[in-house]
């Protein structure tokens, strides 16, 4: 964790009383802002909090999908805690979402994603990671708009999973939705990062762009 960082939870002190999305304020348990090492080289981004994260207030915790990601982080050396921890002990990685509030019955709409975009913009700008990990098709398409030279609809998350996409100022290493991954998919992601990302100087693509 960054030496000057006091807390892994919402380290940038983003608004915990946001009421910009009327359709979410009454149904959410928590606003789930980013969590992790503000000096991290890897930024994992999901579409929205799941039920577990909505309860704990910490991204990718409290449910089986979150435990899968925490196991991945442990295998990569980013987590020093149990996969079922509600407050993982992370280093060199930051976890966040396109949208910060969960609706229990539907996915976020485009307006809600756009409303939350300044939060993500700020995190990307302040963390300035080397590697972006979009989780799921919708997140990959959203990040492709600003961080690649390809059309968003040209990406297929099944084909892009566990590969490296050279983007504009960052590299993207996409991941299938956590609840759609088989153990083989998970192993392929860990293997790709270990053998094809850690083994070379990925920092050469690092950029300092705002989203």
């Amino acid at each position: 964790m960054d030496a000057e960082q006091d807390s892994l939870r919402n380290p940038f002190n983003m608004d915990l009383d946001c009421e910009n999305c009327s359709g979410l304020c009454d149904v959410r348990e928590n606003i789930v802002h980013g969590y992790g090492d503000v000096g991290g080289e890897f930024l994992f981004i999901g579409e929205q909090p799941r039920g577990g994260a909505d309860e704990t207030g910490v991204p990718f915790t409290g449910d089986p999908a979150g435990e899968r990601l925490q196991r991945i982080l442990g295998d990569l050396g980013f987590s020093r805690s149990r996969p079922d921890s509600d407050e993982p002990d992370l280093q060199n990685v930051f976890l966040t979402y396109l949208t910060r509030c969960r609706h229990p019955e539907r996915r976020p709409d485009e307006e809600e994603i756009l409303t939350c975009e300044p939060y993500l913009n700020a995190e990307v700008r302040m963390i300035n990671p080397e590697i972006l990990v979009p989780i799921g098709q919708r997140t990959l398409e959203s990040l492709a708009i600003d961080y690649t030279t390809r059309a968003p609809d040209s990406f297929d998350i099944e084909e892009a999973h566990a590969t490296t996409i050279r983007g504009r100022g960052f590299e993207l290493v996409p991941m299938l939705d956590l609840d759609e991954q088989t153990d083989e998919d998970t192993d392929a992601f860990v293997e790709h990062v270990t053998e094809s990302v850690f083994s070379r100087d990925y920092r050469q693509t690092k950029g300092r762009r705002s989203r």
Side-chain angles (χ1 to χ4, degrees), residues 117-174:
E117 192 173 50
Y119 291 132
L120 180 60
N121 291 349
E123 288 168 340
V124 172
R125 183 176 65 254
M126 290 186 283
I127 296 167
N128 190 31
E130 281 99 16
I131 305 294
L132 304 178
V133 181
I135 301 174
Q137 180 71 30
R138 196 173 189 187
T139 307
L140 174 57
E141 291 182 1
S142 180
L143 297 183
I145 294 171
D146 290 311
Y147 297 132
T148 77
T149 58
R150 289 170 52 182
D153 60 5
S154 70
F155 290 104
D156 183 325
I157 191 62
E158 293 188 3
E159 295 177 357
H161 175 77
T163 68
T164 297
I165 300 168
R166 192 171 294 274
R168 296 183 298 187
F170 302 93
E171 288 187 343
L172 282 69
V173 181

Side-chain angles (χ1 to χ4, degrees), residues 173-188:
V173 181
M175 176 190 288
L176 283 163
D177 276 318
L178 291 160
D179 56 5
E180 296 178 3
Q181 288 185 41
T182 64
D183 290 341
E184 289 76 14
D185 293 328
T186 299
D187 291 344

